[in-house]
Amino acid sequence: MIEVDGSMLEGGGQILRMSVALSAVLGVPVRVFNIRAKRSDPGLKAQHITAIKAVASLVNAEVEGLKLGSMEIKFNPKSIGGGSYRFDIGTAGSTTLVLQSLLPAAMFAKSRVNVEIIGGTDNPLAPPVDYIINVLKPILSKSGYNFNIQVLRRGFYPRGGGIVRAYMEPVTSLKPIRLEDQGSIKLIKGISYSSRLPEHIANRMANSASKILKSHGFDVDIELEILQSNHPKCALSPGCGIVLWAETSTGCIIGSDSLGEIGKPAEKVGEEAAMKLLDEIRGGGTVDSHAADQLIVYMMLAKGESIIKTSNLSMHTLTCIELSKKFLPEVSFEVIEGKPVTIRCRSAGFQRI
């Protein structure tokens, strides 16, 4: 059984999600202790429990310690199956963080995996669902992993109730991720969305972001999604946000986002997302700093040498690299400091039998 200290480095929920995903893929049991020890509210939250249940269902795992506030779990996986599943977080907890555990495990399933997750779709401190669809998904498709995500209903705090469906096509093996040159920016796209709010909110977010980006010479195309109570996709609680992504001449996709808050002007939301994206572009990376940490698990499972560059080496990314050594010590990661930071991974890869 692999022992993982959940307080290592970044000390958050990502250690738990990645540990469970790697345990499922590799078929090795894991014990995670000191779960989220560095958080103000340590231990398992509803979204963590749902993520573990989702992966456990897929691999018919035996799990101990699965209760709210638990600081330790044991996860003993069997073989990766397939089929259709449905999970309700029961709160506005992030559906995309549940997918963060499920996507790597489903990648090596015996058959297609379909899953419906109910919870939040746009949360603070979690990737928005539109980021997963428009940034992470096309990057992973370059390695041969294809999945589709549908948003049936948005979900915001406090009521949640968002509905996300994901359809994951398994692979036999994963090709390396090689993104070495940012290239030039061809187009910046985005989506500015709102539910149960006046129409001008989404327009103001989009206009603010577009004005800043166009002033730097970029072509910008931001879609509006304005949902009211008569639309089936409208969230149960009001909310808004914006997701942006730059498409480059070398096939890179670099993303950013900002979520609306009570008292935050719509123009500020749009400005935040635009400035974050400009910082990522100026940093010269081939992936944004949030994508970098999410890609580590795929780089270590891919066969061959993967290379990505990022403007900022986050603690999340360093934590994922450190965690990878516990599960596959033969995998070699090299971090080359500079502007941008280069992350190189050499792996024999994992192959579904």
Side-chain angles (χ1 to χ4, degrees), residues 296 299 306-308 313 317 321 333-334 341-345:
I296 296 300
M299 292 169 72
S306 293
I307 302 173
I308 60 173
L313 185 63
T317 303
I321 291 172
F333 273 98
E334 181 184 10
V341 177
T342 299
I343 302 172
R344 191 185 304 266
C345 174

Side-chain angles (χ1 to χ4, degrees), residues 54-342:
V55 180
S57 297
L58 186 62
V59 297
N60 194 28
E62 297 172 359
V63 187
E64 297 178 28
L66 206 58
K67 60 182 180 181
L68 285 171
S70 176
M71 296 289 290
E72 178 181 324
I73 67 151
K74 291 180 181 177
F75 188 90
N76 189 7
K78 303 296 187 287
S79 62
I80 308 177
S84 298
Y85 305 87
R86 183 177 185 272
F87 303 99
D88 188 343
I89 297 173
T91 69
S94 172
T95 55
T96 61
L97 291 182
V98 174
L99 282 171
Q100 197 175 75
S101 281
L102 198 55
L103 282 168
M107 184 166 59
F108 294 106
K110 287 184 172 63
S111 61
R112 176 171 164 165
V113 177
N114 305 320
V115 63
E116 181 176 286
I117 309 170
I118 302 171
T121 59
D122 301 272
N123 301 61
L125 305 177
V129 68
D130 292 287
Y131 178 93
I132 301 296
I133 293 170
N134 294 292
V135 180
L136 186 63
K137 175 181 177 288
I139 292 174
L140 290 178
S141 70
K142 297 176 187 297
S143 291
Y145 185 27
N146 294 297
F147 58 87
N148 286 302
I149 295 176
Q150 292 180 331
V151 182
L152 276 66
R153 183 167 67 202
R154 287 203 180 263
F156 298 101
Y157 181 83
R159 293 182 66 187
I163 305 172
V164 170
R165 284 185 184 161
Y167 310 90
M168 293 156 275
E169 300 289 347
V171 299
T172 303
S173 61
L174 195 65
K175 292 184 290 186
I177 299 167
R178 298 186 65 89
L179 297 169
E180 300 182 67
D181 176 25
Q182 185 186 93
S184 58
I185 307 300
K186 293 196 303 181
L187 176 66
I188 293 175
K189 293 183 179 179
I191 179 166
S192 179
Y193 55 89
S194 68
S195 281
R196 298 182 184 273
L197 292 171
E199 184 174 330
H200 62 79
I201 298 290
N203 276 292
R204 287 162 55 201
M205 290 189 297
N207 289 339
S208 173
S210 184
K211 182 179 178 182
I212 291 169
L213 294 169
K214 286 181 177 178
S215 73
H216 286 78
F218 296 117
D219 292 329
V220 184
D221 180 14
I222 301 175
E223 173 191 346
L224 298 177
E225 181 189 271
I226 301 167
L227 304 173
Q228 300 299 348
S229 57
N230 60 349
H231 195 289
K233 194 178 173 181
C234 185
L236 303 178
S237 295
C240 65
I242 185 169
V243 177
L244 303 172
W245 59 95
E247 300 178 353
T248 83
S249 59
T250 54
C252 299
I253 300 177
I254 300 164
S256 72
D257 66 272
S258 183
L259 191 63
E261 300 173 23
I262 294 173
K264 182 195 284 189
E267 288 79 9
K268 184 66 175 176
V269 180
E271 177 190 340
E272 281 182 359
M275 295 308 293
K276 285 180 190 176
L277 187 60
L278 286 174
D279 285 345
E280 294 285 359
I281 293 169
R282 289 171 183 149
T286 56
V287 301
D288 61 77
S289 52
H290 295 294
D293 71 77
Q294 296 178 65
L295 291 173
I296 296 300
V297 64
Y298 300 98
M299 292 169 72
M300 65 183 288
L301 294 171
K303 183 177 182 179
E305 184 179 67
S306 293
I307 302 173
I308 60 173
K309 296 181 179 181
T310 183
S311 62
N312 174 45
L313 185 63
S314 69
M315 184 60 74
H316 275 97
T317 303
L318 285 171
T319 303
C320 289
I321 291 172
E322 192 63 29
L323 186 61
S324 73
K325 299 174 185 176
K326 291 185 174 292
F327 285 88
L328 287 173
E330 67 274 18
V331 171
S332 166
F333 273 98
E334 181 184 10
V335 177
I336 304 168
E337 296 285 352
K339 287 291 182 182
V341 177
T342 299

Side-chain angles (χ1 to χ4, degrees), residues 10-13 35-45 48 69 71 125:
E10 189 268 333
I35 293 172
R36 300 180 66 250
K38 292 185 178 177
R39 296 294 184 258
S40 58
D41 53 346
L44 293 179
K45 307 289 280 186
H48 306 111
M71 296 289 290
L125 305 177

